[in-house]
Amino acid sequence: MIELGKRIHKLRLERGMTLVDLAGNQMTKGMLSMIENGRANPSMESLKFIARQLNCDPHYLLENHTSDELKYLFNQVEEAFHKNNDEQITNLTRGLFDQQLPTSFESARILEIGGRTVVKNDQEQGEMLIERAVAIYEQLSLFSHCVTAKVHVVENRAKKGNYGDALRLLRSIQKKYHEKAAVIDTVVEVEANYVEVVLLFGVGDYKSGKIRLNHLIELSKRKRVFYKMDDIFRIAAFQSLIHNNENDYAYYIKKSEQFAVFSENDRSLAFTLLLQAHYHNQTSKDYEQVLFYLNEFATLLKGEIGSDYYYLEKGKALLGIGQVEDALVELDQFEMPTTISYPLELSILYTADAYKAICLLQLGRVEEASICAARAASNIGPLPRTPYQEFINNTLDMVNKSL
């Protein structure tokens, strides 16, 4: 970190500031002197404070003679990443990762984005790139960035169903970086805690999962950070349904509606409508209410309803009122999303094949029903026990008895 110290020293002199001026009331003169002489590394919070005092961007202090060419590439890669353009990221970084990159934020971020792209098809290679990014982030004391990058590795393992392995890795990450860093960015902390809740439910530890979920909600409220609130309320509502806690379910639905209104987000509000449709399909069996909420959902999103929950819930409702052929038409339009890794959501979505099996069985298409029921049971088999798993297994037994 010698270059960092030199850069701080140079800027301080250019601005006519003494060590006491720069230290203000948050640092000591001795610590600043050690940082300038390369004998100590500032935390990210200290670095941000120093940057504010010097009226510059923290990334400027961290730059290690990053070339204009690399900065230009960084901007292109970042833009492609925000557009989810994996092909462009691959083309932009082809051959780059075989080179020795400078110790700079730009290098680390390019390595991280490259790793996020590669890991989708090559887990080992993708994780190696992310580890290279983390090594640079650590040298720059960017510990929140370290956590963000490594949590993505955890999420990728979870998507492959390795919930136990992913949970152990996440906890080792949390322990390591909470020891290293005085402060982790709140958004990053929320992300890590959210993933932990997902994984606890993924291994069937609902008691610990609920405790962590309540902690996560309190953390978000206390820090007034509303990141991932849609996902948080969805987990809270689903786990309430699983444990037949209608009071908690009603509370989380209300909170979800309030958040949607507060954020003026139609998709957030639409999510609450889907939740209520699901509740009436599963609990009250008021299928007319289900169809009402689904109609409201489609109207709010102006027909952009996706291809998963809407068709699943509508098919279930039509089956419930005896419109079997119409129900099958809706369920045939259902497509399993590729981005879902949350076990409870997967469990719900896997029931689509079971409901199709019931429709097919009632229409006398027993062989097709058997295929659908067996597929549903196979998909949900590795997931923790839930009412959805019991429903699928019961459906398979019913179909097998009809063969």
Side-chain angles (χ1 to χ4, degrees):
M1 301 298 283
I2 294 174
E3 288 297 326
L4 170 62
K6 288 180 178 178
R7 196 168 288 118
I8 292 171
H9 178 75
K10 179 174 180 291
L11 285 176
R12 178 173 64 79
L13 294 181
E14 286 177 357
R15 284 156 174 70
M17 300 173 72
T18 66
L19 283 169
V20 173
D21 293 333
L22 183 55
N25 59 3
Q26 290 195 31
M27 299 185 71
T28 66
K29 174 182 172 181
M31 175 56 71
L32 268 176
S33 179
M34 291 176 67
I35 291 170
E36 287 193 359
N37 290 311
R39 298 200 303 272
N41 295 336
S43 68
M44 193 57 199
E45 289 304 307
S46 295
L47 190 65
K48 289 178 180 178
F49 170 74
I50 292 169
R52 285 197 302 271
Q53 293 287 85
L54 294 171
N55 194 28
C56 71
D57 190 293
H59 291 155
Y60 172 77
L61 296 177
L62 294 169
E63 285 179 359
N64 189 20
H65 304 298
T66 305
S67 68
D68 289 340
E69 182 182 356
L70 188 60
K71 291 178 184 177
Y72 177 70
L73 176 61
F74 162 76
N75 289 329
Q76 287 186 302
V77 170
E78 194 75 62
E79 183 179 355
F81 176 69
H82 287 297
K83 292 180 178 177
N84 296 314
N85 192 333
D86 289 355
E87 183 179 358
Q88 186 178 3
I89 292 170
T90 301
N91 291 334
L92 287 168
T93 58
R94 184 170 285 114
L96 179 70
F97 302 136
D98 296 329
Q99 304 175 28
Q100 182 66 38
L101 298 176
T103 305
S104 67
F105 173 77
E106 288 86 353
S107 296
R109 183 61 177 158
I110 291 170
L111 283 164
E112 180 190 348
I113 291 173
R116 285 170 175 253
T117 304
V118 172
V119 80
K120 296 173 185 177
N121 299 309
D122 187 337
Q123 179 174 329
E124 183 178 358
Q125 183 62 25
E127 290 189 9
M128 284 176 60
L129 291 174
I130 291 173
E131 284 300 327
R132 284 178 62 187
V134 168
I136 295 176
Y137 286 142
E138 287 189 350
Q139 290 182 62
L140 301 176
S141 296
L142 294 171
F143 298 120
S144 289
H145 283 78
C146 294
V147 175
T148 297
K150 291 180 80 71
V151 165
H152 185 77
V153 173
V154 172
E155 290 178 306
N156 185 67
R157 293 188 185 182
K159 287 178 182 177
K160 299 180 185 301
N162 302 322
Y163 301 116
D165 173 48
L167 182 59
R168 287 188 291 273
L169 176 59
L170 176 65
R171 286 182 165 165
S172 71
I173 292 166
Q174 290 171 317
K175 183 176 186 296
K176 176 179 179 179
Y177 289 105
H178 276 92
E179 290 174 352
K180 279 181 173 288
V183 177
I184 295 293
D185 184 85
T186 304
V187 169
V188 175
E189 191 175 358
V190 168
E191 176 73 34
N193 277 271
Y194 167 74
V195 173
E196 184 179 7
V197 171
V198 168
L199 295 175
L200 285 167
F201 286 141
V203 298
D205 188 351
Y206 293 113
K207 181 178 179 181
S208 297
K210 186 174 181 181
I211 291 171
R212 296 303 296 169
L213 177 61
N214 290 335
H215 168 78
L216 175 56
I217 292 171
E218 286 303 314
L219 172 67
S220 298
K221 286 164 57 177
R222 186 174 70 254
K223 296 292 185 70
R224 300 189 65 79
V225 172
F226 305 108
Y227 175 64
K228 295 192 83 73
M229 289 309 299
D230 277 3
D231 297 322
I232 293 168
F233 285 133
R234 180 166 67 248
I235 292 178
F238 282 155
Q239 69 88 24
S240 298
L241 280 180
I242 283 177
H243 294 97
N244 297 315
N245 192 330
E246 294 196 37
N247 288 333
D248 278 1
Y249 169 79
Y251 171 79
Y252 289 124
I253 280 290
K254 184 65 176 178
K255 287 294 181 184
S256 184
E257 288 176 336
Q258 290 172 343
F259 172 72
V261 172
F262 167 76
S263 60
E264 298 181 347
N265 188 325
D266 283 349
R267 289 210 164 268
S268 294
L269 187 56
F271 148 68
T272 69
L273 296 170
L274 275 182
L275 269 178
Q276 292 182 80
H278 181 74
Y279 165 78
H280 287 293
N281 260 331
Q282 295 297 124
T283 305
S284 74
K285 306 300 181 184
D286 187 340
Y287 302 115
E288 293 300 331
Q289 275 292 95
V290 174
L291 295 174
F292 167 78
Y293 282 121
L294 291 176
N295 183 61
E296 291 289 299
F297 170 82
T299 301
L300 183 61
L301 293 185
K302 300 178 175 62
E304 296 180 10
I305 55 179
S307 58
D308 41 49
Y309 278 106
Y310 174 85
Y311 291 112
L312 172 58
E313 299 300 338
K314 190 169 184 180
K316 289 160 61 176
L318 292 173
L319 177 61
I321 59 179
Q323 297 180 18
V324 181
E325 291 185 350
D326 291 337
L328 186 57
V329 168
E330 298 299 326
L331 291 167
D332 278 339
Q333 295 183 74
F334 170 87
E335 293 180 5
M336 189 72 187
T338 59
T339 56
I340 299 294
S341 60
Y342 172 41
L344 291 184
E345 283 189 294
L346 286 173
S347 296
I348 293 167
L349 293 166
Y350 286 149
T351 63
D353 272 323
Y355 283 105
K356 284 179 69 172
I358 293 172
C359 292
L360 290 164
L361 188 63
Q362 292 188 20
L363 294 171
R365 295 158 62 179
V366 181
E367 292 294 334
E368 293 173 76
S370 176
I371 293 171
C372 288
R375 184 166 58 228
S378 175
N379 284 333
I380 207 168
L383 298 179
R385 182 163 295 280
T386 61
Y388 307 105
Q389 190 178 63
E390 293 173 14
F391 165 73
I392 286 175
N393 290 333
N394 289 339
T395 301
L396 180 62
D397 290 342
M398 178 178 67
V399 171
N400 286 339
K401 289 176 182 178
S402 302
L403 288 173

